[in-house]
Amino acid sequence: MSADVLHAYRMQVARGVRRLSTDDTEQVTMLLEQLGYGQDGTDIAGRMRSWVDHPDGGAFVWDERGRLLGVIAAHIIPSFEKDGSWLRIVALAVADSARGRGIGTSLVAAAETFGLMRGCHSVEVTSLRTREGAHAFYKALGYQDRSDAAGRFLRQLP
């Protein structure tokens, strides 16, 4: 691991970012519900355990004296068509009351550092077209909207 990557990771930890814990389930539930992802009747505790235990999954929270103000989850995916791996951000939520404080930026930096430490060459994130604020956020971080270059196809399995 390079000294720059290690320094970036330490800076995020110093600012309030830490690894997700199974004890965080209740507060993560509230963060996800603020984004419109209702958790009633779901096994969020089981999902949190799988993220904590998964070797290729990195999940981090912003912890402000025991109060979680943000969460991010990212997964390492090995490339098939070329060497290396890439990182996929699968969830990012910041409490409505804490937006604009740099929490999302710090969480993305923690996820990117996780990916760098694991040899990832790029990061991908998707966001619903209706989340214009999220699109502006990612663009401000240097992410490019590539939806014109590729389609995203989804099929529910039985």
Side-chain angles (χ1 to χ4, degrees), residues 27-76:
Q27 292 189 69
V28 169
T29 298
M30 291 186 297
L31 289 168
L32 293 174
E33 287 178 344
Q34 283 186 16
L35 281 183
Y37 297 108
Q39 298 301 309
D40 288 343
T42 70
D43 183 17
I44 188 168
R47 292 195 318 270
M48 295 302 103
R49 275 191 308 279
S50 71
W51 275 95
V52 167
D53 295 338
H54 201 291
D56 290 329
F60 303 90
V61 295
W62 179 280
D63 187 332
E64 193 166 88
R65 295 180 297 282
R67 182 172 167 237
L68 299 189
L69 298 179
V71 62
I72 193 167
H75 191 79
I76 305 287

mmCIF file of all heavy atoms in Angstrom, residues 27-76:
data_model
loop_
_atom_site.group_PDB
_atom_site.id
_atom_site.type_symbol
_atom_site.label_atom_id
_atom_site.label_comp_id
_atom_site.label_asym_id
_atom_site.label_seq_id
_atom_site.Cartn_x
_atom_site.Cartn_y
_atom_site.Cartn_z
ATOM 1 N N GLN A 27 -29.568 2.389 13.169
ATOM 2 C CA GLN A 27 -29.317 3.719 12.615
ATOM 3 C C GLN A 27 -29.156 3.681 11.098
ATOM 4 O O GLN A 27 -29.567 4.619 10.412
ATOM 5 C CB GLN A 27 -28.090 4.345 13.278
ATOM 6 C CG GLN A 27 -28.326 4.677 14.746
ATOM 7 C CD GLN A 27 -27.196 5.486 15.312
ATOM 8 O OE1 GLN A 27 -27.032 6.655 14.935
ATOM 9 N NE2 GLN A 27 -26.410 4.892 16.193
ATOM 10 N N VAL A 28 -28.576 2.615 10.557
ATOM 11 C CA VAL A 28 -28.469 2.476 9.099
ATOM 12 C C VAL A 28 -29.869 2.351 8.507
ATOM 13 O O VAL A 28 -30.153 2.913 7.444
ATOM 14 C CB VAL A 28 -27.568 1.284 8.712
ATOM 15 C CG1 VAL A 28 -27.676 0.974 7.225
ATOM 16 C CG2 VAL A 28 -26.119 1.578 9.089
ATOM 17 N N THR A 29 -30.753 1.645 9.183
ATOM 18 C CA THR A 29 -32.145 1.536 8.735
ATOM 19 C C THR A 29 -32.752 2.916 8.551
ATOM 20 O O THR A 29 -33.378 3.201 7.521
ATOM 21 C CB THR A 29 -32.976 0.725 9.756
ATOM 22 O OG1 THR A 29 -32.443 -0.588 9.838
ATOM 23 C CG2 THR A 29 -34.444 0.666 9.354
ATOM 24 N N MET A 30 -32.557 3.794 9.519
ATOM 25 C CA MET A 30 -33.118 5.153 9.433
ATOM 26 C C MET A 30 -32.511 5.926 8.273
ATOM 27 O O MET A 30 -33.226 6.647 7.568
ATOM 28 C CB MET A 30 -32.909 5.887 10.755
ATOM 29 C CG MET A 30 -33.761 5.318 11.883
ATOM 30 S SD MET A 30 -33.684 6.260 13.425
ATOM 31 C CE MET A 30 -31.974 6.095 13.887
ATOM 32 N N LEU A 31 -31.212 5.783 8.039
ATOM 33 C CA LEU A 31 -30.573 6.484 6.923
ATOM 34 C C LEU A 31 -31.136 6.009 5.584
ATOM 35 O O LEU A 31 -31.418 6.814 4.697
ATOM 36 C CB LEU A 31 -29.056 6.283 6.969
ATOM 37 C CG LEU A 31 -28.321 7.002 8.089
ATOM 38 C CD1 LEU A 31 -26.890 6.482 8.205
ATOM 39 C CD2 LEU A 31 -28.329 8.506 7.858
ATOM 40 N N LEU A 32 -31.299 4.701 5.432
ATOM 41 C CA LEU A 32 -31.840 4.163 4.181
ATOM 42 C C LEU A 32 -33.288 4.590 3.971
ATOM 43 O O LEU A 32 -33.695 4.887 2.851
ATOM 44 C CB LEU A 32 -31.714 2.636 4.160
ATOM 45 C CG LEU A 32 -30.287 2.091 4.105
ATOM 46 C CD1 LEU A 32 -30.293 0.579 4.235
ATOM 47 C CD2 LEU A 32 -29.572 2.538 2.842
ATOM 48 N N GLU A 33 -34.052 4.639 5.043
ATOM 49 C CA GLU A 33 -35.448 5.063 4.929
ATOM 50 C C GLU A 33 -35.558 6.533 4.535
ATOM 51 O O GLU A 33 -36.485 6.905 3.818
ATOM 52 C CB GLU A 33 -36.192 4.763 6.230
ATOM 53 C CG GLU A 33 -36.444 3.266 6.391
ATOM 54 C CD GLU A 33 -37.130 2.881 7.687
ATOM 55 O OE1 GLU A 33 -37.163 3.700 8.634
ATOM 56 O OE2 GLU A 33 -37.634 1.733 7.748
ATOM 57 N N GLN A 34 -34.600 7.372 4.952
ATOM 58 C CA GLN A 34 -34.614 8.773 4.524
ATOM 59 C C GLN A 34 -34.466 8.893 3.014
ATOM 60 O O GLN A 34 -34.916 9.866 2.422
ATOM 61 C CB GLN A 34 -33.500 9.562 5.218
ATOM 62 C CG GLN A 34 -33.804 9.920 6.639
ATOM 63 C CD GLN A 34 -32.739 10.826 7.232
ATOM 64 O OE1 GLN A 34 -31.926 11.432 6.536
ATOM 65 N NE2 GLN A 34 -32.752 10.920 8.551
ATOM 66 N N LEU A 35 -33.807 7.922 2.386
ATOM 67 C CA LEU A 35 -33.650 7.926 0.924
ATOM 68 C C LEU A 35 -34.843 7.288 0.213
ATOM 69 O O LEU A 35 -34.863 7.214 -1.005
ATOM 70 C CB LEU A 35 -32.379 7.180 0.526
ATOM 71 C CG LEU A 35 -31.068 7.914 0.666
ATOM 72 C CD1 LEU A 35 -29.920 7.056 0.152
ATOM 73 C CD2 LEU A 35 -31.077 9.245 -0.054
ATOM 74 N N GLY A 36 -35.788 6.776 0.992
ATOM 75 C CA GLY A 36 -36.966 6.181 0.393
ATOM 76 C C GLY A 36 -36.910 4.670 0.274
ATOM 77 O O GLY A 36 -37.750 4.065 -0.397
ATOM 78 N N TYR A 37 -35.927 4.039 0.914
ATOM 79 C CA TYR A 37 -35.802 2.590 0.879
ATOM 80 C C TYR A 37 -36.345 2.013 2.185
ATOM 81 O O TYR A 37 -35.613 1.788 3.144
ATOM 82 C CB TYR A 37 -34.343 2.164 0.664
ATOM 83 C CG TYR A 37 -33.785 2.628 -0.657
ATOM 84 C CD1 TYR A 37 -32.837 3.646 -0.721
ATOM 85 C CD2 TYR A 37 -34.227 2.051 -1.844
ATOM 86 C CE1 TYR A 37 -32.340 4.076 -1.940
ATOM 87 C CE2 TYR A 37 -33.731 2.483 -3.065
ATOM 88 C CZ TYR A 37 -32.786 3.495 -3.100
ATOM 89 O OH TYR A 37 -32.305 3.913 -4.306
ATOM 90 N N GLY A 38 -37.675 1.781 2.218
ATOM 91 C CA GLY A 38 -38.316 1.232 3.399
ATOM 92 C C GLY A 38 -37.734 -0.116 3.776
ATOM 93 O O GLY A 38 -37.449 -0.939 2.902
ATOM 94 N N GLN A 39 -37.559 -0.351 5.059
ATOM 95 C CA GLN A 39 -36.918 -1.574 5.531
ATOM 96 C C GLN A 39 -37.867 -2.501 6.284
ATOM 97 O O GLN A 39 -37.446 -3.549 6.765
ATOM 98 C CB GLN A 39 -35.716 -1.219 6.415
ATOM 99 C CG GLN A 39 -34.641 -0.442 5.691
ATOM 100 C CD GLN A 39 -34.074 -1.183 4.501
ATOM 101 O OE1 GLN A 39 -33.666 -2.339 4.607
ATOM 102 N NE2 GLN A 39 -34.074 -0.550 3.334
ATOM 103 N N ASP A 40 -39.146 -2.122 6.396
ATOM 104 C CA ASP A 40 -40.109 -2.990 7.075
ATOM 105 C C ASP A 40 -40.187 -4.332 6.374
ATOM 106 O O ASP A 40 -40.307 -4.401 5.145
ATOM 107 C CB ASP A 40 -41.500 -2.349 7.099
ATOM 108 C CG ASP A 40 -41.587 -1.174 8.061
ATOM 109 O OD1 ASP A 40 -40.706 -1.054 8.941
ATOM 110 O OD2 ASP A 40 -42.533 -0.383 7.930
ATOM 111 N N GLY A 41 -40.117 -5.399 7.154
ATOM 112 C CA GLY A 41 -40.241 -6.735 6.591
ATOM 113 C C GLY A 41 -39.003 -7.241 5.881
ATOM 114 O O GLY A 41 -39.046 -8.285 5.239
ATOM 115 N N THR A 42 -37.889 -6.516 5.959
ATOM 116 C CA THR A 42 -36.653 -6.968 5.319
ATOM 117 C C THR A 42 -35.686 -7.458 6.396
ATOM 118 O O THR A 42 -35.826 -7.138 7.570
ATOM 119 C CB THR A 42 -35.966 -5.848 4.509
ATOM 120 O OG1 THR A 42 -35.440 -4.867 5.398
ATOM 121 C CG2 THR A 42 -36.936 -5.209 3.523
ATOM 122 N N ASP A 43 -34.702 -8.205 5.981
ATOM 123 C CA ASP A 43 -33.691 -8.723 6.908
ATOM 124 C C ASP A 43 -32.458 -7.823 6.870
ATOM 125 O O ASP A 43 -31.380 -8.245 6.467
ATOM 126 C CB ASP A 43 -33.337 -10.165 6.547
ATOM 127 C CG ASP A 43 -32.348 -10.789 7.517
ATOM 128 O OD1 ASP A 43 -32.178 -10.256 8.635
ATOM 129 O OD2 ASP A 43 -31.721 -11.805 7.152
ATOM 130 N N ILE A 44 -32.634 -6.576 7.303
ATOM 131 C CA ILE A 44 -31.503 -5.646 7.262
ATOM 132 C C ILE A 44 -30.380 -6.106 8.189
ATOM 133 O O ILE A 44 -29.209 -5.950 7.863
ATOM 134 C CB ILE A 44 -31.924 -4.188 7.554
ATOM 135 C CG1 ILE A 44 -30.738 -3.251 7.307
ATOM 136 C CG2 ILE A 44 -32.499 -4.054 8.941
ATOM 137 C CD1 ILE A 44 -31.069 -1.790 7.269
ATOM 138 N N ALA A 45 -30.702 -6.714 9.317
ATOM 139 C CA ALA A 45 -29.660 -7.203 10.218
ATOM 140 C C ALA A 45 -28.804 -8.259 9.521
ATOM 141 O O ALA A 45 -27.573 -8.245 9.619
ATOM 142 C CB ALA A 45 -30.277 -7.756 11.498
ATOM 143 N N GLY A 46 -29.447 -9.149 8.775
ATOM 144 C CA GLY A 46 -28.713 -10.158 8.018
ATOM 145 C C GLY A 46 -27.849 -9.539 6.938
ATOM 146 O O GLY A 46 -26.713 -9.962 6.711
ATOM 147 N N ARG A 47 -28.387 -8.523 6.273
ATOM 148 C CA ARG A 47 -27.601 -7.840 5.234
ATOM 149 C C ARG A 47 -26.399 -7.127 5.851
ATOM 150 O O ARG A 47 -25.301 -7.149 5.290
ATOM 151 C CB ARG A 47 -28.476 -6.853 4.456
ATOM 152 C CG ARG A 47 -29.533 -7.557 3.618
ATOM 153 C CD ARG A 47 -30.167 -6.643 2.577
ATOM 154 N NE ARG A 47 -30.487 -5.311 2.986
ATOM 155 C CZ ARG A 47 -31.651 -4.923 3.517
ATOM 156 N NH1 ARG A 47 -32.609 -5.811 3.728
ATOM 157 N NH2 ARG A 47 -31.863 -3.669 3.835
ATOM 158 N N MET A 48 -26.576 -6.495 6.997
ATOM 159 C CA MET A 48 -25.460 -5.805 7.653
ATOM 160 C C MET A 48 -24.382 -6.820 8.043
ATOM 161 O O MET A 48 -23.193 -6.561 7.855
ATOM 162 C CB MET A 48 -25.920 -5.031 8.888
ATOM 163 C CG MET A 48 -26.875 -3.870 8.622
ATOM 164 S SD MET A 48 -26.260 -2.598 7.497
ATOM 165 C CE MET A 48 -27.159 -3.013 6.001
ATOM 166 N N ARG A 49 -24.800 -7.985 8.570
ATOM 167 C CA ARG A 49 -23.824 -9.035 8.926
ATOM 168 C C ARG A 49 -23.043 -9.479 7.690
ATOM 169 O O ARG A 49 -21.827 -9.655 7.754
ATOM 170 C CB ARG A 49 -24.523 -10.246 9.545
ATOM 171 C CG ARG A 49 -24.764 -10.136 11.022
ATOM 172 C CD ARG A 49 -25.201 -11.447 11.645
ATOM 173 N NE ARG A 49 -26.340 -12.078 10.979
ATOM 174 C CZ ARG A 49 -27.616 -11.742 11.170
ATOM 175 N NH1 ARG A 49 -27.913 -10.792 12.030
ATOM 176 N NH2 ARG A 49 -28.572 -12.364 10.525
ATOM 177 N N SER A 50 -23.737 -9.641 6.563
ATOM 178 C CA SER A 50 -23.033 -10.103 5.360
ATOM 179 C C SER A 50 -22.032 -9.062 4.868
ATOM 180 O O SER A 50 -20.967 -9.416 4.371
ATOM 181 C CB SER A 50 -24.023 -10.494 4.259
ATOM 182 O OG SER A 50 -24.658 -9.375 3.718
ATOM 183 N N TRP A 51 -22.345 -7.776 5.020
ATOM 184 C CA TRP A 51 -21.398 -6.738 4.612
ATOM 185 C C TRP A 51 -20.211 -6.676 5.560
ATOM 186 O O TRP A 51 -19.078 -6.486 5.125
ATOM 187 C CB TRP A 51 -22.080 -5.373 4.518
ATOM 188 C CG TRP A 51 -22.724 -5.188 3.188
ATOM 189 C CD1 TRP A 51 -24.029 -5.428 2.869
ATOM 190 C CD2 TRP A 51 -22.088 -4.791 1.979
ATOM 191 N NE1 TRP A 51 -24.234 -5.189 1.533
ATOM 192 C CE2 TRP A 51 -23.065 -4.796 0.963
ATOM 193 C CE3 TRP A 51 -20.786 -4.427 1.658
ATOM 194 C CZ2 TRP A 51 -22.775 -4.451 -0.351
ATOM 195 C CZ3 TRP A 51 -20.495 -4.075 0.340
ATOM 196 C CH2 TRP A 51 -21.482 -4.095 -0.637
ATOM 197 N N VAL A 52 -20.447 -6.829 6.842
ATOM 198 C CA VAL A 52 -19.354 -6.804 7.820
ATOM 199 C C VAL A 52 -18.406 -7.972 7.575
ATOM 200 O O VAL A 52 -17.190 -7.829 7.682
ATOM 201 C CB VAL A 52 -19.919 -6.826 9.262
ATOM 202 C CG1 VAL A 52 -18.837 -7.110 10.286
ATOM 203 C CG2 VAL A 52 -20.617 -5.498 9.571
ATOM 204 N N ASP A 53 -18.961 -9.141 7.219
ATOM 205 C CA ASP A 53 -18.164 -10.360 7.077
ATOM 206 C C ASP A 53 -17.575 -10.578 5.686
ATOM 207 O O ASP A 53 -16.684 -11.394 5.524
ATOM 208 C CB ASP A 53 -19.029 -11.584 7.431
ATOM 209 C CG ASP A 53 -19.448 -11.592 8.893
ATOM 210 O OD1 ASP A 53 -18.776 -10.931 9.719
ATOM 211 O OD2 ASP A 53 -20.454 -12.259 9.206
ATOM 212 N N HIS A 54 -18.064 -9.872 4.672
ATOM 213 C CA HIS A 54 -17.653 -10.161 3.294
ATOM 214 C C HIS A 54 -16.252 -9.624 3.014
ATOM 215 O O HIS A 54 -15.992 -8.429 3.206
ATOM 216 C CB HIS A 54 -18.646 -9.561 2.299
ATOM 217 C CG HIS A 54 -18.576 -10.204 0.966
ATOM 218 N ND1 HIS A 54 -17.505 -10.058 0.123
ATOM 219 C CD2 HIS A 54 -19.438 -11.040 0.340
ATOM 220 C CE1 HIS A 54 -17.710 -10.743 -0.974
ATOM 221 N NE2 HIS A 54 -18.882 -11.352 -0.865
ATOM 222 N N PRO A 55 -15.345 -10.467 2.514
ATOM 223 C CA PRO A 55 -13.971 -10.004 2.271
ATOM 224 C C PRO A 55 -13.834 -8.982 1.145
ATOM 225 O O PRO A 55 -12.879 -8.210 1.133
ATOM 226 C CB PRO A 55 -13.213 -11.292 1.926
ATOM 227 C CG PRO A 55 -14.271 -12.235 1.439
ATOM 228 C CD PRO A 55 -15.522 -11.882 2.192
ATOM 229 N N ASP A 56 -14.782 -8.961 0.214
ATOM 230 C CA ASP A 56 -14.698 -8.019 -0.902
ATOM 231 C C ASP A 56 -15.652 -6.845 -0.751
ATOM 232 O O ASP A 56 -15.797 -6.038 -1.667
ATOM 233 C CB ASP A 56 -14.966 -8.734 -2.234
ATOM 234 C CG ASP A 56 -13.836 -9.674 -2.608
ATOM 235 O OD1 ASP A 56 -12.678 -9.390 -2.242
ATOM 236 O OD2 ASP A 56 -14.111 -10.694 -3.254
ATOM 237 N N GLY A 57 -16.296 -6.754 0.379
ATOM 238 C CA GLY A 57 -17.220 -5.658 0.632
ATOM 239 C C GLY A 57 -16.644 -4.700 1.655
ATOM 240 O O GLY A 57 -16.080 -5.118 2.667
ATOM 241 N N GLY A 58 -16.763 -3.433 1.375
ATOM 242 C CA GLY A 58 -16.342 -2.403 2.316
ATOM 243 C C GLY A 58 -17.530 -1.525 2.642
ATOM 244 O O GLY A 58 -18.127 -0.928 1.748
ATOM 245 N N ALA A 59 -17.904 -1.472 3.896
ATOM 246 C CA ALA A 59 -19.013 -0.618 4.314
ATOM 247 C C ALA A 59 -18.517 0.254 5.463
ATOM 248 O O ALA A 59 -17.887 -0.231 6.408
ATOM 249 C CB ALA A 59 -20.214 -1.445 4.741
ATOM 250 N N PHE A 60 -18.798 1.544 5.345
ATOM 251 C CA PHE A 60 -18.297 2.520 6.307
ATOM 252 C C PHE A 60 -19.425 3.435 6.749
ATOM 253 O O PHE A 60 -20.386 3.659 6.008
ATOM 254 C CB PHE A 60 -17.189 3.372 5.666
ATOM 255 C CG PHE A 60 -16.051 2.556 5.128
ATOM 256 C CD1 PHE A 60 -16.074 2.097 3.820
ATOM 257 C CD2 PHE A 60 -14.969 2.234 5.932
ATOM 258 C CE1 PHE A 60 -15.039 1.323 3.313
ATOM 259 C CE2 PHE A 60 -13.922 1.462 5.437
ATOM 260 C CZ PHE A 60 -13.956 1.012 4.131
ATOM 261 N N VAL A 61 -19.299 3.962 7.949
ATOM 262 C CA VAL A 61 -20.265 4.917 8.478
ATOM 263 C C VAL A 61 -19.539 6.155 8.955
ATOM 264 O O VAL A 61 -18.347 6.117 9.264
ATOM 265 C CB VAL A 61 -21.101 4.321 9.643
ATOM 266 C CG1 VAL A 61 -21.963 3.169 9.147
ATOM 267 C CG2 VAL A 61 -20.221 3.887 10.796
ATOM 268 N N TRP A 62 -20.269 7.260 8.995
ATOM 269 C CA TRP A 62 -19.785 8.488 9.627
ATOM 270 C C TRP A 62 -20.417 8.509 11.009
ATOM 271 O O TRP A 62 -21.632 8.575 11.146
ATOM 272 C CB TRP A 62 -20.194 9.715 8.830
ATOM 273 C CG TRP A 62 -19.717 10.981 9.481
ATOM 274 C CD1 TRP A 62 -20.301 11.633 10.537
ATOM 275 C CD2 TRP A 62 -18.546 11.729 9.164
ATOM 276 N NE1 TRP A 62 -19.581 12.735 10.882
ATOM 277 C CE2 TRP A 62 -18.483 12.825 10.056
ATOM 278 C CE3 TRP A 62 -17.548 11.587 8.218
ATOM 279 C CZ2 TRP A 62 -17.469 13.761 10.020
ATOM 280 C CZ3 TRP A 62 -16.537 12.525 8.184
ATOM 281 C CH2 TRP A 62 -16.502 13.594 9.065
ATOM 282 N N ASP A 63 -19.584 8.415 12.011
ATOM 283 C CA ASP A 63 -20.030 8.308 13.396
ATOM 284 C C ASP A 63 -19.656 9.589 14.134
ATOM 285 O O ASP A 63 -18.483 9.911 14.266
ATOM 286 C CB ASP A 63 -19.358 7.100 14.053
ATOM 287 C CG ASP A 63 -19.880 6.799 15.441
ATOM 288 O OD1 ASP A 63 -20.346 7.719 16.134
ATOM 289 O OD2 ASP A 63 -19.799 5.619 15.838
ATOM 290 N N GLU A 64 -20.676 10.317 14.574
ATOM 291 C CA GLU A 64 -20.444 11.541 15.331
ATOM 292 C C GLU A 64 -20.916 11.309 16.769
ATOM 293 O O GLU A 64 -22.095 11.445 17.074
ATOM 294 C CB GLU A 64 -21.191 12.712 14.682
ATOM 295 C CG GLU A 64 -20.759 14.061 15.207
ATOM 296 C CD GLU A 64 -21.253 15.176 14.308
ATOM 297 O OE1 GLU A 64 -22.390 15.641 14.530
ATOM 298 O OE2 GLU A 64 -20.507 15.551 13.376
ATOM 299 N N ARG A 65 -19.977 10.861 17.575
ATOM 300 C CA ARG A 65 -20.241 10.572 18.994
ATOM 301 C C ARG A 65 -21.423 9.614 19.175
ATOM 302 O O ARG A 65 -22.327 9.860 19.975
ATOM 303 C CB ARG A 65 -20.446 11.860 19.774
ATOM 304 C CG ARG A 65 -19.193 12.737 19.823
ATOM 305 C CD ARG A 65 -19.386 14.025 20.601
ATOM 306 N NE ARG A 65 -20.361 14.937 20.062
ATOM 307 C CZ ARG A 65 -20.173 15.759 19.025
ATOM 308 N NH1 ARG A 65 -19.018 15.765 18.417
ATOM 309 N NH2 ARG A 65 -21.119 16.565 18.610
ATOM 310 N N GLY A 66 -21.407 8.529 18.405
ATOM 311 C CA GLY A 66 -22.426 7.495 18.529
ATOM 312 C C GLY A 66 -23.645 7.694 17.655
ATOM 313 O O GLY A 66 -24.498 6.816 17.565
ATOM 314 N N ARG A 67 -23.746 8.818 17.002
ATOM 315 C CA ARG A 67 -24.871 9.094 16.101
ATOM 316 C C ARG A 67 -24.375 8.960 14.662
ATOM 317 O O ARG A 67 -23.470 9.691 14.250
ATOM 318 C CB ARG A 67 -25.398 10.503 16.352
ATOM 319 C CG ARG A 67 -26.595 10.849 15.505
ATOM 320 C CD ARG A 67 -27.198 12.184 15.935
ATOM 321 N NE ARG A 67 -28.128 12.636 14.928
ATOM 322 C CZ ARG A 67 -28.046 13.795 14.306
ATOM 323 N NH1 ARG A 67 -27.099 14.663 14.617
ATOM 324 N NH2 ARG A 67 -28.936 14.119 13.394
ATOM 325 N N LEU A 68 -24.971 8.046 13.913
ATOM 326 C CA LEU A 68 -24.548 7.845 12.528
ATOM 327 C C LEU A 68 -25.209 8.864 11.628
ATOM 328 O O LEU A 68 -26.422 9.009 11.622
ATOM 329 C CB LEU A 68 -24.901 6.427 12.060
ATOM 330 C CG LEU A 68 -24.263 5.288 12.827
ATOM 331 C CD1 LEU A 68 -24.512 3.969 12.116
ATOM 332 C CD2 LEU A 68 -22.782 5.502 13.059
ATOM 333 N N LEU A 69 -24.377 9.562 10.864
ATOM 334 C CA LEU A 69 -24.870 10.594 9.957
ATOM 335 C C LEU A 69 -24.717 10.208 8.494
ATOM 336 O O LEU A 69 -25.161 10.937 7.616
ATOM 337 C CB LEU A 69 -24.152 11.921 10.225
ATOM 338 C CG LEU A 69 -24.353 12.504 11.625
ATOM 339 C CD1 LEU A 69 -23.569 13.800 11.777
ATOM 340 C CD2 LEU A 69 -25.827 12.728 11.909
ATOM 341 N N GLY A 70 -24.098 9.059 8.234
ATOM 342 C CA GLY A 70 -23.940 8.615 6.861
ATOM 343 C C GLY A 70 -23.444 7.187 6.795
ATOM 344 O O GLY A 70 -22.869 6.669 7.760
ATOM 345 N N VAL A 71 -23.694 6.559 5.646
ATOM 346 C CA VAL A 71 -23.251 5.187 5.404
ATOM 347 C C VAL A 71 -22.923 5.036 3.927
ATOM 348 O O VAL A 71 -23.560 5.663 3.071
ATOM 349 C CB VAL A 71 -24.325 4.158 5.842
ATOM 350 C CG1 VAL A 71 -25.618 4.325 5.048
ATOM 351 C CG2 VAL A 71 -23.805 2.733 5.737
ATOM 352 N N ILE A 72 -21.918 4.222 3.641
ATOM 353 C CA ILE A 72 -21.572 3.879 2.260
ATOM 354 C C ILE A 72 -21.204 2.404 2.226
ATOM 355 O O ILE A 72 -20.631 1.877 3.179
ATOM 356 C CB ILE A 72 -20.417 4.744 1.704
ATOM 357 C CG1 ILE A 72 -20.298 4.587 0.188
ATOM 358 C CG2 ILE A 72 -19.101 4.440 2.419
ATOM 359 C CD1 ILE A 72 -19.404 5.625 -0.469
ATOM 360 N N ALA A 73 -21.576 1.746 1.137
ATOM 361 C CA ALA A 73 -21.198 0.352 0.918
ATOM 362 C C ALA A 73 -20.646 0.226 -0.496
ATOM 363 O O ALA A 73 -21.199 0.795 -1.439
ATOM 364 C CB ALA A 73 -22.406 -0.571 1.106
ATOM 365 N N ALA A 74 -19.532 -0.480 -0.613
ATOM 366 C CA ALA A 74 -18.896 -0.664 -1.914
ATOM 367 C C ALA A 74 -18.372 -2.094 -2.006
ATOM 368 O O ALA A 74 -18.065 -2.727 -0.990
ATOM 369 C CB ALA A 74 -17.752 0.335 -2.092
ATOM 370 N N HIS A 75 -18.278 -2.575 -3.224
ATOM 371 C CA HIS A 75 -17.882 -3.961 -3.446
ATOM 372 C C HIS A 75 -16.791 -4.042 -4.504
ATOM 373 O O HIS A 75 -16.874 -3.371 -5.539
ATOM 374 C CB HIS A 75 -19.104 -4.783 -3.891
ATOM 375 C CG HIS A 75 -18.865 -6.246 -3.892
ATOM 376 N ND1 HIS A 75 -18.893 -7.005 -2.753
ATOM 377 C CD2 HIS A 75 -18.573 -7.088 -4.898
ATOM 378 C CE1 HIS A 75 -18.640 -8.260 -3.058
ATOM 379 N NE2 HIS A 75 -18.437 -8.339 -4.359
ATOM 380 N N ILE A 76 -15.791 -4.866 -4.254
ATOM 381 C CA ILE A 76 -14.709 -5.110 -5.214
ATOM 382 C C ILE A 76 -15.198 -6.137 -6.234
ATOM 383 O O ILE A 76 -15.700 -7.201 -5.866
ATOM 384 C CB ILE A 76 -13.459 -5.682 -4.508
ATOM 385 C CG1 ILE A 76 -13.008 -4.793 -3.365
ATOM 386 C CG2 ILE A 76 -12.355 -5.979 -5.517
ATOM 387 C CD1 ILE A 76 -12.355 -3.526 -3.760
#
